[in-house]
């Protein structure tokens, strides 16, 4: 049995139900550019930075844009996303997320956020979740997107915990890959087919507890 000393959480789709807003905002943009964008195609965007997501979206639509136009559309998507998340309510915190964070902290285990999103701090603040994390690493603090492990490495380094004693919670395939390549354990949140590389896959943090954590 490993003595887990830190839990590092992705935000979108793990702690809060924001993955749907990212999808809706990208879909609106795709429709504006005259193509459709499915939820299956959206799986490729999960965990990926804003500009890299736009590039994948444009590739799907077969559209080539200048750097300036890409900046414009990325800003537009983000404005729409911010409009949606600024209306979020506490019931959009995913089931069991707050309870598990509290249980982990009460057990003396450190907590970090490891998110690709530049909007992460604002979302945590809006839902009163900021104080539940010892360290917050978001899209403003990293240069390399998942599946690069930079976001999780920075979290563990700031917490001063060895990587092999960290567990990452992720809903994106790119995030699972990032965690494993950092030599951390990974709990996948979502579909076992998409997240097959994770150590275990669960539907959500409501299915997690300290016993399962320590058995990883
Ligand atoms: C990730 C999401 O958490 O953050 C991606 O899974 C998103 O869908 C990425 O593109 C970047 O988010 P933001 O808020 O900086 O545009
Ligand atoms: Mg996510």
């Amino acid at each position: 049995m490993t003595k887990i000393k830190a839990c590092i959480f992705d935000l979108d789709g793990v702690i809060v139900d924001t993955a749907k807003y990212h999808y809706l905002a990208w879909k609106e943009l795709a429709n504006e550019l005259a193509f459709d964008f499915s939820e299956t195609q959206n799986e490729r965007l999960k965990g990926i930075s804003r500009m890299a997501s736009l590039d994948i979206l444009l590739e799907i639509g077969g559209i080539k844009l200048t750097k300036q136009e890409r900046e414009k559309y990325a800003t537009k998507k983000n404005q729409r996303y911010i409009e949606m998340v600024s209306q979020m309510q506490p019931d959009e915190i995913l089931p069991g997320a707050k309870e598990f964070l509290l249980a982990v902290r009460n057990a003396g285990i450190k907590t970090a956020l490891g998110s690709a999103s530049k909007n992460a701090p604002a979302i945590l603040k809006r839902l009163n979740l900021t104080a539940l994390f010892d360290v917050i690493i978001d899209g403003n603090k990293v240069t390399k997107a998942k599946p690069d492990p930079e976001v999780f490495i920075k979290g563990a380094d700031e917490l001063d915990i060895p990587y092999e004693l960290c567990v990452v919670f992720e809903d994106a395939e790119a995030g699972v890959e990032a965690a494993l390549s950092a030599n951390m354990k990974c709990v996948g949140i979502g579909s076992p087919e998409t997240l097959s590389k994770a150590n275990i896959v669960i539907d959500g943090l409501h299915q997690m507890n300290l016993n399962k954590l320590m058995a990883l």
Side-chain angles (χ1 to χ4, degrees), residues 10-14 19 46-47 146 170-172:
D10 173 50
L11 178 70
D12 297 315
V14 171
K46 284 190 180 170
K146 300 170 188 175
E170 256 295 347
D171 70 321

Side-chain angles (χ1 to χ4, degrees), residues 164-176:
E164 62 275 17
L165 302 183
C166 295
V167 178
V168 169
F169 295 84
E170 256 295 347
D171 70 321
E173 198 178 357
V176 173

